[in-house]
Amino acid sequence: MAQEQGGRDQEQGAGARLARLLRRWWEEAGSASGGTRPTQQALAARLGVDQTTLSRYLNPKHTSTAPLRVVEALHAQLRAPAAELDRARALCRAALRENSGRRTVGGGGEPTAATDVTDGSGEPGGRREPAGSRATADPADPADPAAPYGPAGGHGSGAGRPRFRWHLHVLVWAAVVVAFAAGVLVHERFAVQDRKAATADGAAGEGAVAASEVPHQWPLLVMGEQDQFTRARALQNLLNAHGYEVRADGFFGEDTRDAVMAFQRKRGLAPDGKVGKHTWPELVKEVKPGSGTFEVRAAQELLNNVGQGGTVVSGEFTAVTAEDLRFFQSTQDLPVTGRVDVDTWLALLVAQLPPAGAPAYQRPESPPPSGSAPASA
């Protein structure tokens, strides 16, 4: 009965209410638009957590609480009602406070009388004798090893020694935990930097724009016969945003090269037809609410292919687009603004994954690659 009552009390907490809300989002996903609800395995992969952890976050009877990042990502991935996001954030913060309070209450207290200590005879593992016995009544006996800690020694009762040892053990363990946590943070920081450097496309030695502190390199695109996928389509959409009419099909042919050269001449750059560290920063535009269709589509193309779940490529800057951008920026150690600036463009271009194919809006009319010769070195 006591266990059942404890379970009901736990379900009434903020953590249980948050889990019920998240589970309802998942169960109702796809019903409004007629789509298909994602499996927990697929959803966990999008969120960057394992399926067991996600299952605990969606279980009101489990003590695990989803962190704020996962709550916001679930809201974006499941297209949950916008009005419920603030409520979910408030429940998340309240649950984390409740968990912190339980840890504080459960972590203190003095050692009990059952704790193994050294008794008055100096033998380890002995039991503590009751008050009024010889060990308690004669603490100042010179032959007793514990005498300096008794009343005659002026250092308190004989119970001071085990209590002192217990506090010493707590301090040692606290120091070990702090050192371990610091090591994990340092390791994660260097691991993130290593992953960024490993994914940067630096085949031609292209470097980052001088005004940026983001440790990435701009990818180099040149004319060729092969499909260059999302990066080339982003380039072509950005050229259209600057008034150069080219087809956004992913093939860097002669028409795309000619448009690039015309853009470079207009901006005072060397007209070599290559798009690298000097051309990208001039070509990209800030994308925010109200931006043009082509630059918004370019950003959505890239955001849809960074492995954090689907982003609708519509050419319209929506609240969902801004939410997906904020989540991506948080994973890249960028300022979380929900807008695409130069550093965010660079991170999006570098983070592109090998695509499964052309996007849905472009696939039915994709032409074969146009005949063109490779650019000279």
Side-chain angles (χ1 to χ4, degrees):
M1 291 296 293
Q3 292 180 351
E4 293 177 0
Q5 181 64 35
R8 286 194 294 269
D9 291 342
Q10 184 177 6
E11 285 196 7
Q12 292 174 359
R17 296 200 301 273
L18 174 63
R20 284 195 293 270
L21 178 61
L22 299 183
R23 187 169 190 87
R24 178 167 61 78
W25 288 354
W26 174 67
E27 291 175 346
E28 295 177 356
S31 60
S33 59
T36 303
R37 181 180 68 189
T39 64
Q40 288 191 13
Q41 182 178 5
L43 187 58
R46 295 180 184 177
L47 298 175
V49 300
D50 59 80
Q51 184 179 354
T52 301
T53 301
L54 178 61
S55 178
R56 291 172 179 172
Y57 292 160
L58 302 181
N59 184 358
K61 295 184 178 181
H62 203 278
T63 58
S64 297
T65 299
L68 186 59
R69 177 191 69 80
V70 173
V71 171
E72 293 176 342
L74 277 170
H75 184 270
Q77 293 292 332
L78 300 176
R79 303 292 189 264
E84 295 184 354
L85 179 57
D86 288 338
R87 178 191 172 201
R89 287 170 173 162
L91 286 174
C92 178
R93 296 187 181 99
L96 293 176
R97 286 195 298 270
E98 289 178 358
N99 293 343
S100 177
R102 283 195 293 269
R103 286 194 297 269
T104 301
V105 171
E110 295 292 332
T112 64
T115 305
D116 289 339
V117 296
T118 302
D119 64 9
S121 63
E123 296 178 357
R127 62 182 180 84
R128 189 186 303 273
E129 297 192 21
S133 66
R134 185 195 59 80
T136 305
D138 301 322
D141 186 352
D144 193 340
Y149 295 91
H155 294 288
S157 66
R161 294 182 68 188
R163 184 181 295 111
F164 172 76
R165 286 199 196 95
W166 182 80
H167 285 301
L168 181 60
H169 292 165
V170 170
L171 291 175
V172 171
W173 277 108
V176 171
V177 171
V178 170
F180 177 78
V184 170
L185 290 175
V186 172
H187 177 270
E188 287 298 322
R189 174 69 62 177
F190 281 103
V192 169
Q193 294 180 355
D194 290 343
R195 286 195 295 269
K196 291 177 181 178
T199 55
D201 185 0
E206 298 291 77
V209 63
S212 173
E213 296 180 358
V214 178
H216 288 316
Q217 293 178 328
W218 291 98
L220 177 67
L221 299 186
V222 298
M223 186 175 69
E225 295 184 357
Q226 71 279 7
D227 189 346
Q228 300 188 43
F229 303 109
T230 52
R231 287 176 178 148
R233 290 198 295 271
L235 163 65
Q236 290 161 335
N237 277 309
L238 287 170
L239 287 170
N240 277 281
H242 285 278
Y244 301 92
E245 296 184 3
V246 293
R247 181 180 177 82
D249 55 11
F251 293 97
F252 196 141
E254 293 181 356
D255 54 345
T256 301
R257 182 202 59 188
D258 294 343
V260 169
M261 293 176 66
F263 175 81
Q264 289 171 329
R265 281 191 291 266
K266 183 177 180 180
R267 293 301 178 100
L269 303 172
D272 57 5
K274 302 177 183 179
V275 183
K277 67 178 181 180
H278 299 299
T279 304
W280 278 118
E282 295 290 329
L283 191 62
V284 297
K285 291 186 171 186
E286 183 182 17
V287 177
K288 56 187 178 181
S291 294
T293 300
F294 289 110
E295 56 263 39
V296 172
R297 179 175 290 173
Q300 289 172 333
E301 282 261 21
L302 299 174
L303 192 59
N304 188 47
N305 194 46
V306 294
Q308 67 180 37
T311 296
V312 177
V313 182
S314 62
E316 179 182 357
F317 194 96
T318 64
V320 175
T321 302
E323 190 68 24
D324 290 349
L325 273 172
R326 282 191 288 269
F327 179 72
F328 174 77
Q329 289 168 330
S330 68
T331 65
Q332 300 292 314
D333 294 330
L334 295 170
V336 181
T337 63
R339 301 185 178 194
V340 188
D341 56 9
V342 173
D343 288 344
T344 304
W345 276 112
L346 174 55
L348 284 169
L349 286 165
V350 170
Q352 291 304 290
L353 299 173
Y361 79 88
Q362 187 261 345
R363 189 180 303 122
E365 54 182 6
S366 297
S370 58
S372 57
S376 58

